[in-house]
Amino acid sequence: MTPASNRPDLRRIGAGAFTEVLDTLLSLPSVRESADDRPAAPDQISSSVLLTGQRLSGNVHLRLPLAFVAYAVRSLTGLDEDAENANELQDDAAGELANMVAGRVASQLAADGYSCKLGTPSVSRDAHIATQNQNGVAHERTDLICEGHRLSLEIQCCYADA
């Protein structure tokens, strides 16, 4: 049985992965953590990626304001929300952001002795996924402010040696 104190710091891992992706993919180094408890934007895109391994299972979940995802699509493709396939591009961008963050999370978890594989990203709009602490499940949340938008990352892991 591994004591909880020897487990990976999911908050540190998540914040580092999220800021690295935003800086690398979107050239947004001015990201900062937020302790702000204001409500999330009403129009959101949620994207999740499952993590599975012998020693853990869990997920990486992003909640992004639709306006931020539209900004990301413009930055990456040069297309705006008037594009014919704007919704598909936004869903793809949200899924790709989650996939890239989850990949960095998985890499750090592997370095800490918890190797895992990534599932396929899933994307939904306006989904308010209720996350709650459950016995045996490690849960960490990081909120970031980027370009005036509040972005949320949640990581949940259930350790096989709990």
Side-chain angles (χ1 to χ4, degrees):
M1 181 172 202
T2 304
S5 62
N6 292 339
R7 296 220 173 104
D9 181 349
L10 296 177
R11 183 169 179 71
R12 179 190 55 77
I13 290 171
F18 204 7
T19 56
E20 183 181 338
V21 167
L22 292 173
D23 182 26
T24 303
L25 184 65
L26 299 173
S27 301
L28 295 171
S30 61
V31 176
R32 63 182 170 82
E33 283 197 56
S34 170
D36 188 349
D37 281 342
R38 66 183 165 180
D43 295 328
Q44 293 187 40
I45 294 180
S46 296
S47 51
S48 297
V49 176
L50 291 176
L51 305 172
T52 55
Q54 285 187 321
R55 297 183 65 201
L56 73 79
S57 62
N59 68 61
V60 172
H61 180 78
L62 296 181
R63 281 186 295 217
L64 308 168
L66 187 55
F68 177 80
V69 177
Y71 169 83
V73 168
R74 279 191 309 276
S75 294
L76 294 170
T77 67
L79 300 173
D80 61 22
E81 54 247 17
D82 294 332
E84 183 177 320
N85 57 345
N87 285 346
E88 291 173 19
L89 289 170
Q90 291 168 353
D91 289 354
D92 288 347
E96 186 55 28
L97 285 169
N99 198 45
M100 292 179 75
V101 171
R104 283 166 174 76
V105 167
S107 177
Q108 185 61 53
L109 287 171
D112 289 341
Y114 291 89
S115 63
C116 54
K117 294 181 181 180
L118 301 180
T120 302
S122 63
V123 177
S124 63
R125 289 178 178 256
D126 298 321
H128 297 284
I129 295 176
T131 56
Q132 60 188 28
N133 288 336
Q134 300 169 352
N135 289 339
V137 177
H139 177 258
E140 289 294 337
R141 177 178 167 163
T142 302
D143 291 322
L144 301 176
I145 301 296
C146 182
E147 296 294 310
H149 301 282
R150 180 176 169 206
L151 318 176
S152 294
L153 164 71
E154 295 184 28
I155 301 174
Q156 293 181 329
C157 287
C158 182
Y159 297 94
D161 53 10

